[in-house]
Amino acid sequence: MIWSWLFQFFISVLNLLVGLLPVVTDTSGFGASLVTAGHYIAVPYQFVPIITVTLLLIIAFDITFETAYLLYKAIYWVIRRFPTQS
Amino acid sequence: MYKLLLFIAAVLIAPQISFGAVVYDVGYGGSSINFVAGTITNATPYSGSPITFPLSSSWVTVTSPIDTLRIHRLSGASCSDLLGGGSLASNAAGTGMVLSGHYIDSVATVSDGGTGDYCDFHFHSSPFTGGNVAHLYLNNKTVTLEGAVSNGYVNSPSNYTVSSGAPAFQLCDSGTCGTFTTPSDGIVTPNEPTPNSVYLYNPVPFNGTYNNGIDNFYNLVQVQATSTALTLPLTFQYFLATSTGSSLTYSITDYNLPVEGMYGYQIRLMDTINSVQTPWVYGGSFGLATTTTATIDEYVTPVATTCSTFDFFCHLKKFGIWALFPSEGLINSYTSLLETIQSKPPIGYFTIVKNSITGLNASSTPEVEIVIPTQLKTIFFDPIDVALGSILWAAFAFLFYKRLKHITI
């Protein structure tokens, strides 16, 4: 009961704040482009599936890793811009 | 193998090993089966082969004078109702139970002192010797017999083959038939699903106990479940009986039933190594509210227990649940918040990408169809695929390690 009241309050506040943001939609056709890419990728997958999957995984992992690293660098750069007590 | 030997022994030396004046006793009935109740009567798990007593579709020769057929009736139609008119036994030659031209012409009901009656069917012009025991048909009567299939489920002429060890009936000479022995092997007692229960989620647990004595059932508990929404019964078997003893337990907890609605189910044990199986035991009917599979994310309310006055820990537990356990409304609010966050920036962008990627699958229609001879693929492309794939992974590992060396935190 106690936790219910507390969490209900926090969730309500968060709902209010997040609700002010706009909804993200796929207007650029990103999803459709991935589907089309999937049709083309299915061609080499027919006769070299391991190579196809390996390349896709490596590229996806690399993009994810570098994006995460860049995001970390960017956030840390922003944090360092805040003045600290001296 | 054991069952076959016992079958032969029962036929050839029955007068020596049987009790009382029983000439032929197939007392491996086990639990009774009543298909009248529940939705399982709407489906037909068996087809074609007629019920044959005893055990196989071939004839059995009895070598002692036969006077009486005894079956153990547990409920349903009375012994006299089973007599006559093409029913269980007939008073007309050529129908019902025949034995070398001797047909059943009367029946006596003998109380078993408890659960039901013994129906002693008397053969016309008995006793008689020799001859072959013919088929026994159950037609359009609702009765529960010990060890046999309930007639309520049988429509003439489509009857069922009773498997080895199943029926419990006796052929007796001019003396008194004996009491049916309780088999010690293969008795199945289903405990769950409990009759008339309703399950909110898959999987529905099937568990119970069984005896596994002389005949070790190497194979599995077989469960048949059916509902009005299914055209065929579901048969699934999961539990491997590897030990002997009484009150052994079986448990099937990972089978997801495909449709909602009411089910009936029955259980039996199988030994495919020795081609032995017990008779079906009807477990009852139950309902399934949804085919959704329950996960750990499903909200479950702790069971509210009633504490005795001086049970401190019980009261402490109840207080802990009241104080700390989140309400269902809170769980729903939290779930709703997560969904909202997934649709708003910045998380929403990742959600879109993730949904698009998960929508891809290996069975996507290729843009260009390339036909490759199977042998060419097997001999040429597959080895190259494996070799180059391994090289690629090794190169990735080496280059990623070099990349990590240049990472600065």
Side-chain angles (χ1 to χ4, degrees), chain B residues 240-318:
Chain B
L240 181 62
T242 56
S243 57
T244 57
S246 60
S247 299
L248 302 173
T249 59
Y250 66 86
S251 181
I252 303 170
T253 58
D254 56 355
Y255 186 84
N256 295 317
L257 296 168
V259 297
E260 304 170 5
M262 293 300 296
Y263 282 86
Y265 78 101
Q266 53 187 4
I267 302 273
R268 70 177 177 183
L269 296 182
M270 292 182 62
D271 179 354
T272 57
I273 295 177
N274 298 317
S275 300
V276 173
Q277 51 198 4
T278 67
W280 287 109
V281 175
Y282 180 63
S285 61
F286 64 94
L288 179 64
T290 174
T291 56
T292 302
T293 303
T295 66
I296 59 173
D297 295 324
E298 296 293 341
Y299 180 78
V300 177
T301 305
V303 177
T305 56
T306 304
C307 301
S308 62
T309 308
F310 300 104
D311 191 344
F312 171 74
F313 290 104
C314 182
H315 287 290
L316 185 64
K317 174 185 164 185
K318 286 184 72 175

Side-chain angles (χ1 to χ4, degrees), chain B residues 155-181:
Chain B
N155 294 314
S156 176
S158 298
N159 301 313
Y160 308 108
T161 300
V162 181
S163 57
S164 174
F169 72 100
Q170 296 172 347
L171 292 174
C172 316
D173 61 15
S174 56
T176 306
C177 282
T179 304
F180 283 80
T181 56

